[in-house]
Amino acid sequence: MRILITGSSGMIGTNLGLRLLAEGYQVFGIDRRVNPWTDRIPTLLQDLATPQRDFRAGIGGAPYPACDLVVHLAANAKVYELVSEPYRALENINITYNVLEYCRAHDLPIIFASSREVYGDIHRYLTEETRADFSFTESPYSASKIAGEALIYAYSRCYGLRYIVFRFSNVYGRYDNDLARMERVIPLFIHRISRSEPVTVFGGDKVLDFTYIDDCVDGIVRGITRLLRGEVGNRTINLAYGEGNTLIRAAELIGLALGRRPDIIVQPIKRVGEVGYYVADIRRARELLGYQPQVPLAEGIRRAVAWSHGEQAP
């Protein structure tokens, strides 16, 4: 089978591409930047945010090889940065439109990377997939993911698009250390604590559902397999570990893995656009995909720290 991955140079795209290659899939990646971690994923450099009208070959007429399914990961993904630069949320919508038009032109199923951000922070304790309340959108980033989901549902109704929407939650782990491009909390804390620098937690009671990369990729691969076989389709599924942890706990676990006492500064004010509590309901992933996350936060952080320091870790 042949899989096209948008955003193939990102952390999830890199891990997914390498997993698929190892399982015998053919993989073709599209990204606006060169992959900093591997050259094993054939990648076309293309900015998918540019509005396009030609989809007879690839997006904008680019020379894509034939494929059987698209995994659409490409997006501007840092919530707070999109609060400061909301045009990047519009880019996310343009990217998704282009990818959907490509899928429509070639009758391809799609897996779309959405986010737990769509649940917002008002009805935050209700995370069964049907309970997202879009009238409480927290940020331009979450609005762009809501818009992406809406486009997918519309393309399914109007054009028969086959899809799975995955709502990810705080994925971390291997190939997640590109701090110059994106400051994500786990690699940022690893970087700072390993240098005995203080880390700042915005909200001491902030609770998030951290998902180790191997669990995330396993869920995506299960989705690919079942969507291609026609066993699961046109469903929206939370993909996470299913357990909440505070950012303070994450920092403490990083300190433990590094053998250092972290200097944690707690700021009580939540930054604009950020969600303060999310623990995923993953019953649908278990039922439809046989998904069973294997890596709790303590073990995932141990692996992430080992990888970031060049040690062998799963």
Side-chain angles (χ1 to χ4, degrees), residues 172 243 245 249 253 257 295-303:
Y172 70 100
E243 178 181 279
N245 281 278
R249 173 65 174 158
L253 288 170
V295 187
L297 184 62
E299 172 60 17
I301 283 180
R302 185 197 68 79
R303 297 184 187 186

Side-chain angles (χ1 to χ4, degrees), residues 98-174:
N98 283 336
V99 173
L100 286 172
E101 281 293 276
Y102 170 71
C103 289
R104 180 165 78 99
H106 297 271
D107 190 26
L108 296 172
I110 186 171
I111 287 178
F112 175 62
S114 188
S115 168
R116 51 96 174 159
E117 293 285 339
V118 303
Y119 291 104
D121 215 24
I122 303 299
H123 298 299
R124 58 188 180 273
Y125 298 104
L126 303 173
T127 64
E128 191 270 331
E129 286 84 351
T130 62
R131 302 299 293 270
D133 189 338
F134 298 155
S135 63
F136 294 100
T137 302
E138 291 288 331
S139 69
Y141 172 73
S142 55
S144 75
K145 288 301 183 182
I146 290 167
E149 288 194 20
L151 282 171
I152 283 179
Y153 306 146
Y155 271 63
S156 178
R157 286 180 177 273
C158 294
Y159 312 118
L161 177 79
R162 294 159 291 152
Y163 71 86
I164 293 177
V165 170
F166 281 126
R167 291 174 177 163
F168 297 152
S169 179
N170 294 88
V171 183
Y172 70 100
R174 189 187 312 105

Side-chain angles (χ1 to χ4, degrees), residues 121-295:
D121 215 24
I122 303 299
H123 298 299
R124 58 188 180 273
Y125 298 104
L126 303 173
T127 64
E128 191 270 331
E129 286 84 351
T130 62
R131 302 299 293 270
D133 189 338
F134 298 155
S135 63
F136 294 100
T137 302
E138 291 288 331
S139 69
Y141 172 73
S142 55
S144 75
K145 288 301 183 182
I146 290 167
E149 288 194 20
L151 282 171
I152 283 179
Y153 306 146
Y155 271 63
S156 178
R157 286 180 177 273
C158 294
Y159 312 118
L161 177 79
R162 294 159 291 152
Y163 71 86
I164 293 177
V165 170
F166 281 126
R167 291 174 177 163
F168 297 152
S169 179
N170 294 88
V171 183
Y172 70 100
R174 189 187 312 105
Y175 309 129
D176 189 16
N177 64 347
D178 191 359
L179 293 175
R181 187 180 68 90
M182 182 182 298
E183 286 192 354
R184 290 160 54 83
V185 66
I186 296 294
L188 178 62
F189 281 9
I190 292 172
H191 176 81
R192 294 187 67 87
I193 293 171
S194 66
R195 290 161 175 75
S196 298
E197 298 173 356
V199 296
T200 301
V201 169
F202 292 94
D205 57 350
K206 184 174 184 177
V207 172
L208 298 174
D209 196 336
F210 294 94
T211 315
Y212 188 68
I213 183 61
D214 288 349
D215 286 332
C216 177
V217 167
D218 180 68
I220 298 171
V221 172
R222 289 173 181 270
I224 289 171
T225 301
R226 285 159 176 76
L227 186 55
L228 286 171
R229 291 177 179 170
E231 297 171 354
V232 176
N234 297 12
R235 302 301 295 265
T236 299
I237 301 172
N238 294 329
L239 204 60
Y241 187 76
E243 178 181 279
N245 281 278
T246 66
L247 291 176
I248 292 175
R249 173 65 174 158
E252 290 171 343
L253 288 170
I254 291 168
L256 183 65
L258 290 167
R260 296 175 181 268
R261 178 185 290 273
D263 179 6
I264 303 171
I265 301 170
V266 179
Q267 296 286 350
I269 301 175
K270 180 172 73 72
R271 294 187 294 182
V272 174
E274 292 190 346
V275 169
Y277 185 99
Y278 178 79
V279 180
D281 181 339
I282 60 172
R283 287 176 295 177
R284 184 177 288 185
R286 296 183 191 275
E287 293 166 1
L288 296 178
L289 305 178
Y291 172 71
Q292 296 289 343
Q294 300 295 311
V295 187

Side-chain angles (χ1 to χ4, degrees), residues 5-10 13-14 17 21 27-36 38-46 63-65:
I5 303 173
T6 73
S8 57
S9 296
T14 299
L21 288 170
V27 176
F28 178 68
I30 304 170
D31 208 296
R32 65 174 60 168
R33 66 192 181 102
V34 173
N35 193 307
T38 183
D39 59 3
R40 293 181 54 204
I41 301 171
T43 303
L44 174 69
L45 298 182
Q46 184 181 21
Y64 294 7

Side-chain angles (χ1 to χ4, degrees), residues 51-53 55 72 92-102 151 155:
Q52 301 290 349
R53 294 292 182 269
F55 303 94
H72 176 31
N92 286 350
I93 297 169
N94 289 339
I95 292 168
T96 299
Y97 164 78
N98 283 336
V99 173
L100 286 172
E101 281 293 276
Y102 170 71
L151 282 171
Y155 271 63

